[in-house]
Amino acid sequence: MSTASPSGATEELLRALAPRVLGALVRRHGQFDACEDAVQEALLAAALQWPESGVPDEPFAWLLTVASRRLVDGFRADSARRHREDAVFVEGERLVAEPTADALDAPPDEDDSLLVLLLCCDPSLSAPSQLALTLRAVGGLTTAQVAAAFLVPEATMAQRISRAKATLRRAGARFALTDDDTAERMGVVLHVLYLMFNEGYMASSGDVLARAELTTEAIRLTRMVHALLPGDGEVTGLLSLMLLTDARRAARATSGGDLIPLAEQDRMAWNHAEIAEGLALIEDALRATPLGPYQVQAAIAALHAEARAADETDWPQILALYRLLERLLPGNPIVSLNHAVAVAEVDGPRAALAFLDERDLDSRLGEATHRADAVRAHLLERAGSPRAARELYRAAARRTTSLPERRYLESRAAALD
Amino acid sequence: MIMIYDNAQSRELFTGPEGAALMGDMEALMAELRDSGEYLGGEALADPAQTRSVRVVDGVPAVTDGPLAEAKEHFGGYLMVECDSFERACEIARRWPSARFTPLEVRPLMSGGGEEM
C-alpha cells in the first residue's frame, strides 16, 4: 500500500479484514511469519486491483485465496521444505479451488483478530517489536507506514519486523492459546495498545502527522478488542481513557506547538463527542466489572473532563482515585508524580513536596528525572519559593529531550526572573 | 547519536597492522545493530584537512580552513541508533573499537513531541 493509495473505504475494509485473514491462515498452517508475509502480499494485490476492478462480492474469501496461493507458492519455492510441501499443497489447492464455498462453510470467526493480536504480543518480544508487529499484522499497515509512524528508515523497520517474526518462530509461538495464556497476554495486549496511543499522543501538533495516525490506530484497535470482549472492564477502561485523553488534542498546544497545561486549556475546544462516549464507557465499566488500573485512570480523566472550568475540578475525588491507583500499580513513579499534583490541590504544595520526598522517585525514574524536577518546580512556585522553583525549571529544561517541553519549562523559569 | 572522535594517530591505527582486527570488530558490531533494528544510520567524515569553518560576524562572512576547535581530537563521524535505553546506547559506544584510542560522545536527540504537562 506504500505505492498504491486505495480509497478510504477500500483501505478501511482491507485493514478490518487483515487480522481475520491472517488468523484463518495461521490456524490452518501455523508459521506466523510465512502467513504474515503472504497476507501482506494479498493486501498489496487488493490495494492495486480493487480500485480498478471493484471490490469482490466476497472480499474475505478473495484475500484468503490470494494469501493462501502466495503461501503455497512460497512453500513450493523452498526446496528444503519439500517433505512438508505435499500436506500444505493439498490444503492450499483446496482453498484455491473453492474459496467462496470454504468461506461460507466456516464464516470468518471474529475471534481470529484477537488470536493474531495475542500472538503479536508474545512475551518473548520487546515492547517496540510487539508494537511494530501489531501495527503491521493487526493494523494492516505496510512496513513503510509503520516506519513513518516511528520516524525510522523503512529498512530499519523491515529488519525489526523480520527479527520479531524470527523470534516468534524460535519461541515456538503456539497458535491455539489456552484461556490462561489469553488472560495472561491480555495485559500485554492492552499495554501495547496503550503504548501505541502514547507514542502518537506525545507528539505535539505540527509536521509529525504520522504520529497522530498512531493515536487513531490505537483507538481503532482498542474498539475492535472492545467489540470482541465487551464484558472486559479493563478493555472498556482503556478505550474510555484513550477517548477522554484524545478529546483534549486540539486544546493542548498553541498553533506554534507550545504545550498548554490542562488547567489553562480552552475547554470549549475539547472534543465533546469523544468525551460523552468516554464517560458512558467508564460509567458502564465501573458499575459492571471488577476494578483495574485502566478504569481508575479513565475515572480520573473523566473527572477532569466533567469539570466545566479548571477550578471546578473535583480534586478530593481525584486524590482518592490516585490512592487507589497507587495500590493497584505500586512503585510506578509517574503515578506518584501525578498523585503529588492531586495532593497539592487538596492539601497544598508543601504537603505535596513532603509526599514526593517520602518517595525515592529519582532512582526509579531513570532518564526521566526531569519530570520529577518539573513537578517539584511547579510546587515550589506555588509554595512561594520562586528562586528554588526557577532553578529546578532550568534543571528540568536542560535535561528533557522534548523540544516543546523545554520551551515550556524555560518560559516558566523566565516568568520567575 | 553517538559521536566518534579521532586524532591523527587513531585514524592510522585502523589502516595499520591491527587494522583488520579493528575493522572486523567494527563490522561485527554493525551487523549486530542492523540485525536488532537499532541502527538508523551513520557516516564517517573526511579528514579535518578538508574542513572549513564558516561564520558571519556583523553580516560579514569569515571562512577559515580547519575545524572550529583547536584540539588534538576532531569529530570523525557519527552513528545513529535507536535503543530501549540510554544505557544501551552507551554500551554500544563502549564496544565501538575506536573507543580504545579516542573518546566518543553519546547524546539523546531532542524530539518534537512532548508529554502532557
Side-chain angles (χ1 to χ4, degrees), chain A residues 128 152-153 156 159-160 163 201-204 248 252 259 262 265 367 371 400-406 408, chain B residues 32-41 82 84-88 108-117:
Chain A
V152 302
T156 301
Q159 281 287 348
R160 187 177 298 165
R163 190 167 162 87
Y201 194 73
M202 264 169 56
S204 60
R248 296 184 211 139
R252 66 191 282 268
L259 291 172
L262 183 57
Q265 289 177 7
E367 288 148 32
R371 299 189 63 182
T400 179
T401 53
S402 153
L403 211 47
E405 203 169 28
R406 172 181 286 186
Y408 170 79
Chain B
E32 178 188 322
L33 297 178
R34 285 207 168 89
D35 197 34
S36 67
E38 289 170 301
Y39 177 75
L40 299 184
E82 187 190 57
D84 282 344
S85 70
F86 197 51
E87 282 69 30
R88 166 66 182 154
L109 264 61
M110 287 289 272
S111 81
E115 302 278 337
E116 176 106 312
M117 295 299 295

Side-chain angles (χ1 to χ4, degrees), chain A residues 339-404:
Chain A
H339 190 163
V341 174
V343 170
E345 293 295 337
V346 176
D347 298 325
R350 292 282 168 205
L353 286 163
F355 170 94
L356 284 179
D357 289 342
E358 279 170 27
R359 287 158 176 79
D360 179 24
L361 285 185
D362 286 5
S363 67
R364 285 186 280 134
L365 277 164
E367 288 148 32
T369 48
H370 69 275
R371 299 189 63 182
D373 284 348
V375 170
R376 283 200 182 92
H378 267 287
L379 297 172
L380 285 165
E381 184 182 351
R382 289 184 48 193
S385 304
R387 185 171 299 186
R390 191 175 58 210
E391 291 314 306
L392 273 178
Y393 277 130
R394 293 243 153 87
R398 276 195 303 274
R399 283 207 302 230
T400 179
T401 53
S402 153
L403 211 47

Side-chain angles (χ1 to χ4, degrees), chain B residues 24-101:
Chain B
D25 288 351
M26 193 160 86
E27 273 156 23
L29 183 55
M30 285 299 291
E32 178 188 322
L33 297 178
R34 285 207 168 89
D35 197 34
S36 67
E38 289 170 301
Y39 177 75
L40 299 184
E43 292 290 346
L45 302 185
D47 194 88
Q50 307 263 21
T51 308
R52 279 185 189 164
S53 299
V54 179
R55 78 195 79 194
V56 179
V57 182
D58 295 333
V60 181
V63 180
T64 50
D65 283 337
L68 198 59
E70 293 289 334
K72 200 166 62 144
E73 272 85 25
H74 61 264
F75 184 46
Y78 71 94
L79 270 180
M80 295 276 285
V81 290
E82 187 190 57
C83 302
D84 282 344
S85 70
F86 197 51
E87 282 69 30
R88 166 66 182 154
C90 292
E91 188 210 309
I92 293 167
R94 182 175 60 70
R95 288 169 53 200
W96 191 255
S98 73
R100 293 166 220 169
F101 316 110

Side-chain angles (χ1 to χ4, degrees), chain A residues 144-154 157 199 203 207-211 214, chain B residues 40 80 82 111-113:
Chain A
Q145 288 170 320
V146 179
F150 289 100
L151 310 173
V152 302
E154 187 175 349
M157 190 48 80
E199 192 85 31
D207 53 354
V208 261
L209 287 175
R211 298 227 155 179
L214 271 184
Chain B
L40 299 184
M80 295 276 285
E82 187 190 57
S111 81

